[in-house]
Each structure stands twice: as C-alpha cells, then as structure tokens.
Amino acid sequence: MKNEVVIKTEQLTKRFGDFIATNAISFEVYAGEIFGFLGANGAGKTTAMRMLCGLSVPSSGAATIAGCDVYKEPERLKKSIGYMSQKFSLYEDLTVSENLEFFGGIYGMSRNQIKAKADRVLKQLGLDVDKDKLVGSLPLGWKQKLAFSVAVFHDPKIVFLDEPTGGVDPITRRQFWDLIYEAAGRGITVFVTTHYMDEAEYCNRISMMVDGVIKALDTPDNLKRQFNASSMDEVFFELARGAKRSAD
Amino acid sequence: MSSISIREINKSYGKGTIAALKNINLDVAAGELFGLIGPDGAGKTTLFRILTTLLLPDSGYATVGGYDVLKDIKQIRSSVGYMPGKFSLYQDLSVEENLRFFATVFGTTIQENYNLIKDIYVQLEPFKNRRAGKLSGGMKQKLALCCALIHKPTVLFLDEPTTGVDAVSRKEFWGMLKNLKREGITIFVSTPYMDEANLCERIALIQGGSILSVDTPVNITRSYGEALYAVRSENMPLLQSDLRTMSEIKTCYSFGSFHHVTLQVNGSSKVFELLNSTHPSFEWKEIEPTIEDCFIKLMQHEK
C-alpha cells in the first residue's frame, strides 16, 4: 500500500517551438505522500503541473496520474484529482455552502453525498455559522482554507496545490499545513509548490527543478546532507544559482 | 528630518464596513530603507496608495518629502517613484520605449539619470527591443524598477516587489535596493515575506489594518520577552500534537525542520519527562526568535 505509485512520469517533455519548457523529467510519487515540487521562476514547474493535470498535452514522454494516461484519458484524470490554483478561484458572490454544492456537483457527487460531506467540512473548518455568508466577505485566510477544502471535497486521489500559501499570514499558513497533513493522513496524495523554504521541510520528499530538468529529488534531510546544507534555503540556492532561465 | 510622516490615518471601504487602516502613525527618516511587513489584506497597498496621492484617507494626514498628501498632489507625484504590486507598464511598448515614456512624462531623459539605473538596466539591455509583455517575471520587475527610478525620485515606493519571485531573484532584488540606498533615496518597501524584514533598517509589522510594532529588526526580536525553544524528533506531526496537549507548553508552531515552543511559567523538566517516553530521540535547544516568531506573538496579542 505504502508504495502504490499514483504519479509516474517517464521522460515527460513539453516543447514550445524550439524552447523546451520541461525536459524529459522522470519521477514517481506514492499514495499519501506530501510531495514538494520546487524550482526557480521559469524552471518549468507550471508547464509540468499543467501536463500532470491533463490541461496540456505533452510533446513526448509518458505520464500516468491516478491510473490515467495523460494522452488517452485526460477527462477521467481530471475527475480523479483536485486542483487549487495560485489565484483564488471560488465564486465570491456565492455563499460558502453554495460553492461546496457547486463544486461537488461538477465532480458528479450526489445531493446526499454533498450534504453529508459539507456538514463535516464546515464543522472541521469552524465555518458552520458562516455557511450562508458570501465567500467574497470572508477574511483571506478563511478563503484559502475553504479553497483547499473544495479542492479535496470529492476525495480525489491526488490534490495539486500551486503556491497555496503565498501572502498568507504566518498563523494561517501553519493552519493550512495542518489541513494538508490531515488530507495526507486520509490517503490523499499532496503535490505542492511553494516559495517558502520552511514549508519545503514539511514535505516527505522534494524535487528541485532548474532549467526544465529535475536537478535533485529526495527527502529534505537527505538533500541537506547531500548538499552539506543546514537548511532547505541553502539547498535551493546551491541548485538554483546556476539557473540560466528566469521566465515564469 | 522625516521623509515620510503619517498621522492618525484611517481608511475604510464598503461605506465604512471594512476598516482597511486603523489609526496609522509612522515616521520614515530621509535615506532610510524602511519595510512594511505583513500578509495580504493587512492594508499595505491602501497605505501605499494614500502616500502616493492615489487614494484619500477618511481622516488623518501624511507628508511625503515635506509635501501634504491631501494638498500637494502634483509635487508628490513628480518627486516620488512608485512601483505598484501589479505590473503596470505598457505591455505592447518595448523595454526601451517604456523607459523613454516614463522619462518623458517626468520631463527628463534616460541619459540624464542613467547612472542611477545603469546596474539594473545593463541586464535588460539585450532585450531592449522586446515588448514588456513578453518579458519574464524577473525582467518585468527590473524594468518596473528602472521606470520608477528614471526621474531620480526622492522617495521610492515599492509595493511587494518580490511577491511570487523565487528565492534567488529575491536576494538579487534586495541587493539592488541596497545600492539605491547609497544614492540617498528613501525606500519604503512592503513584503509578505517575514525573512526579508532583516534586510531593512527599520520595519513596521502590519496586520488587519493596524501596526503591531515599529523598530529595527534586532530590537523587535529582542523584545520577544520570553524564552523560545526549538524542538524536533523523528515524527514531527506527532511531536506537534503531543506538545500541544501538554499543559506546560504555551505555544507550539512549526518552523521548518523544528517546532518553536514557549513554556508556561517555570519548568521544562516535566516536558522532558513526557518527551523522553514518547520521543526518545528528541532534540531541544533555546534559540533567538525570528521576526516571524514575533509576528505570530503580536498577532495573538491583537486577538
């Protein structure tokens, strides 16, 4: 069970004209793992993530996500994953409950399933008293926590989080990671990008992308040992310093 | 002399329902590199917009370079540089055209103040004919900085210049600010990254529209006021939940590979006893607080 592979890529590549955004990356992510996907601006993270989510067709190579082939089954793939974008993307003029109903419906959950699940999620977040408030009126920290809960509402096998804690206050940032741990504990695989190097430490394993390739992949402890560094910050500098690209 | 002086500024949105700034008082000395540190929604951008005359406060007043933000709008606009958080250059003008445009608007030329932007602009020069919209994130940021500097402002306002930028480029950007400081320009910069606080001479911590503290980074961490410990073991999530249930522990927050912990009055011996039984390989040491530790503590006081 522990070694069930839920993301597997082989030589996965994306070209735009003669620019190779993602260059033959191969890696595996296991079920229930918190996997940190790090890299400098322009390293090719977003492009890679879009391929893994079935939003962009690779130029070459192979990838299987939650048992789905990215070329042949992009639609089934999308149903098996959750995604939280960098930009807040819940409906601000719908209430908390309405957002949950809407996204639950999109993922094909039944009314009863949605209701039972919504009650549990609202209680967990402490949002039950605010369930009829418009999402737009919630404080930013709540919005981020709610966006995460929506992304895992349909119990996906994998949830992709694109810089979920950018600009969030230090207490909420930590509460957000409590939610990530809780989801991982339920067996959901968490694939997360971040610019906060302390958060890299909270991941089970980390990959570091530089100029379209994966330069390093290991547990935070092993990476620190490998680069003789005391923090992930130093590991990142060591690897990203030599980067030639800086697009995003 | 104060370069920026803010007195009892209040600002609310939505017909008074959302208080964006609550009674803000602040002084920034001429030539100072001053940081406004706080998360999204703290009120940073609102304060920037008031100081650059783009927004009127509900009450209170402020001066920038000796000019009144309510009355001397023209003087302020021609003497300050402002780099907004959102990229606001002309996407379909080239790098060079953008720079020339901003120089012309301010009645100067690129040549006249070239020495001020030289170190930054040489990195952009290979792309000077590229449209601004086609630049990478890091390059856009450098061009925006050049455009905010080309009229040799006395005060430079930078609203979250490093948000969404990777750790290496962030370091590089702060290096550029240090060089600008040497030119005598007052720099008022905001950031949500707590670790950047140490790169400023003085900082204000802001949250929920209120300033929590204003001082040098060193003085802020010195005034933490109690012992802080870093703890780790092989099972960090379990260690955290264990620590949080102990009545001897006052606070426990994750900080990278350690948890930072404060104690209720006296005694870690009971804690050690408990940890020895459940986390035999635990590591425990007293540490100096970081700005983020202080921010968390001040946030709790606010509540």
Side-chain angles (χ1 to χ4, degrees):
Chain A
M1 178 65 198
K2 191 176 180 296
N3 286 329
E4 186 200 343
V5 174
V6 290
I7 297 177
K8 184 179 171 69
T9 76
E10 279 171 289
Q11 306 287 314
L12 191 66
T13 301
K14 181 76 185 187
R15 284 192 194 85
F16 297 105
D18 49 14
F19 178 72
I20 308 175
T22 305
N23 192 356
I25 59 171
S26 304
F27 67 97
E28 289 180 351
V29 179
Y30 307 113
E33 189 170 32
I34 301 173
F35 190 86
F37 196 59
L38 310 189
N41 293 126
K45 297 191 300 284
T46 305
T47 304
M49 201 136 143
R50 288 177 57 81
M51 288 191 281
L52 300 181
C53 292
L55 296 170
S56 167
V57 182
S59 307
S60 62
T64 312
I65 315 300
C68 307
D69 184 297
V70 288
Y71 294 99
K72 291 181 201 143
E73 307 162 284
E75 294 314 313
R76 193 162 76 88
L77 188 166
K78 285 176 200 164
K79 282 185 192 158
S80 330
I81 63 167
Y83 175 71
M84 179 177 163
S85 85
Q86 209 170 338
K87 196 176 165 295
F88 183 71
S89 38
L90 299 186
Y91 290 94
E92 305 235 350
D93 43 10
L94 292 185
T95 66
V96 172
S97 291
E98 285 166 347
N99 266 288
L100 290 174
E101 279 165 38
F102 177 78
F103 283 99
I106 291 238
Y107 282 104
M109 293 167 71
S110 72
R111 262 173 211 283
N112 287 337
Q113 276 176 317
I114 291 174
K115 196 181 173 321
K117 195 72 194 292
D119 285 347
R120 204 160 68 231
V121 166
L122 291 171
K123 211 162 276 164
Q124 188 202 356
L125 290 176
L127 270 177
D128 26 1
V129 286
D130 296 319
K131 68 181 166 57
D132 296 322
K133 278 197 182 151
L134 294 184
V135 160
S137 71
L138 295 178
L140 186 95
W142 283 115
K143 284 186 187 170
Q144 291 299 96
K145 285 186 263 186
L146 182 63
F148 177 79
S149 300
V150 166
V152 296
F153 193 66
H154 60 294
D155 278 320
K157 282 208 126 177
I158 310 164
V159 63
F160 290 88
L161 309 172
D162 194 2
E163 282 184 48
T165 55
V168 170
D169 75 68
I171 292 181
T172 308
R173 201 152 75 77
R174 285 164 176 82
Q175 290 169 344
F176 196 91
W177 274 89
D178 290 341
L179 291 178
I180 291 182
Y181 272 110
E182 191 270 333
R186 279 194 283 137
I188 297 176
T189 305
V190 180
F191 189 94
V192 58
T193 73
T194 178
H195 280 312
Y196 291 100
M197 286 303 130
D198 59 332
E199 294 185 348
E201 306 268 4
Y202 309 149
C203 302
N204 299 120
R205 286 190 308 146
I206 290 162
S207 73
M208 290 268 194
M209 262 187 102
V210 181
D211 292 341
V213 300
I214 292 182
K215 274 268 158 111
L217 195 165
D218 214 324
T219 63
D221 279 345
N222 285 344
L223 285 174
K224 280 184 276 183
R225 224 167 286 142
Q226 187 188 337
F227 290 91
N228 200 12
S230 62
S231 67
M232 286 309 298
D233 229 3
E234 288 175 34
V235 174
F236 186 84
F237 270 99
E238 200 53 47
L239 283 163
R241 218 174 31 186
K244 297 195 172 56
R245 304 196 327 215
S246 61
D248 205 5
Chain B
M1 194 202 105
S2 286
S3 180
I4 303 171
S5 176
I6 305 168
R7 291 293 173 271
E8 290 169 28
I9 290 256
N10 284 282
K11 178 72 191 176
S12 62
Y13 297 116
K15 291 175 184 152
T17 51
I18 302 155
L21 292 174
K22 303 171 193 163
N23 204 31
I24 303 290
N25 289 285
L26 204 60
D27 283 285
V28 178
E32 200 170 17
L33 174 51
F34 190 95
L36 189 62
I37 319 285
D40 290 357
K44 302 190 298 292
T45 299
T46 299
L47 187 57
F48 270 82
R49 292 177 61 82
I50 289 172
L51 295 175
T52 51
T53 76
L54 299 172
L55 195 66
L56 289 171
D58 296 342
S59 61
Y61 69 96
T63 60
V64 174
Y67 296 115
D68 187 327
V69 295
L70 300 175
K71 295 185 202 131
D72 309 323
I73 291 174
K74 280 190 178 163
Q75 288 89 333
I76 289 182
R77 289 189 185 177
S78 59
S79 61
V80 307
Y82 173 44
M83 181 172 157
K86 190 173 170 292
F87 183 71
S88 314
L89 302 183
Y90 293 94
Q91 310 258 7
D92 43 8
L93 290 186
S94 71
V95 167
E96 198 178 20
E97 284 165 345
N98 263 295
L99 191 59
R100 201 183 313 134
F101 174 81
F102 280 94
T104 312
V105 163
F106 285 103
T108 182
T109 59
I110 297 177
Q111 290 72 29
E112 201 173 326
N113 294 317
Y114 188 71
N115 67 315
L116 203 57
I117 60 161
K118 185 172 165 268
D119 292 345
I120 309 161
Y121 194 66
V122 287
Q123 302 172 53
L124 287 166
E125 220 143 27
F127 314 102
K128 68 179 182 188
N129 295 320
R130 190 179 289 187
R131 286 182 186 193
K134 297 278 179 202
L135 291 174
S136 69
M139 288 293 176
K140 277 182 181 164
Q141 178 203 42
K142 283 177 188 144
L143 178 60
L145 183 60
C146 287
C147 290
L149 278 171
I150 196 61
H151 59 297
K152 199 166 198 225
T154 51
V155 185
L156 183 60
F157 290 96
L158 306 171
D159 194 5
E160 297 205 20
T162 54
T163 290
V165 174
D166 71 61
V168 174
S169 310
R170 277 166 53 192
K171 205 169 217 179
E172 198 183 74
F173 194 83
W174 280 93
M176 291 187 250
L177 295 191
K178 257 193 186 147
N179 290 338
L180 288 173
K181 194 194 132 47
R182 280 192 211 114
E183 303 283 335
I185 298 174
T186 306
I187 303 173
F188 191 73
V189 56
S190 70
T191 177
Y193 296 105
M194 304 277 151
D195 56 344
E196 293 183 343
N198 293 314
L199 304 167
C200 304
E201 287 171 283
R202 282 197 312 139
I203 54 172
L205 304 180
I206 184 168
Q207 159 78 10
S210 301
I211 288 180
L212 306 175
S213 181
V214 185
D215 213 325
T216 62
V218 173
N219 282 341
I220 285 178
T221 50
R222 267 190 202 142
S223 58
Y224 190 72
E226 62 187 313
L228 182 70
Y229 303 93
V231 195
R232 75 168 160 194
S233 80
E234 272 151 24
N235 188 340
M236 294 298 280
L238 183 67
L239 177 65
Q240 181 158 51
S241 57
D242 284 353
L243 287 166
R244 282 182 176 165
T245 54
M246 294 180 194
S247 58
E248 293 79 8
I249 301 289
K250 190 155 98 187
T251 61
C252 173
Y253 290 102
S254 315
F255 271 80
S257 53
F258 286 88
H259 297 318
H260 287 189
V261 164
T262 59
L263 295 172
Q264 298 289 3
V265 264
N266 46 28
S268 47
S269 55
K270 183 79 186 298
V271 175
F272 286 169
E273 222 171 87
L274 287 162
L275 286 178
N276 264 323
S277 62
T278 45
H279 299 267
S281 67
F282 81 98
E283 194 182 321
W284 176 284
K285 61 184 178 188
E286 185 165 358
I287 52 161
E288 294 290 329
T290 63
I291 293 291
E292 193 157 357
D293 288 299
C294 299
F295 199 98
I296 288 177
K297 186 167 184 182
L298 291 163
M299 271 179 82
Q300 287 164 333
H301 277 282
E302 282 292 295
K303 286 174 188 168

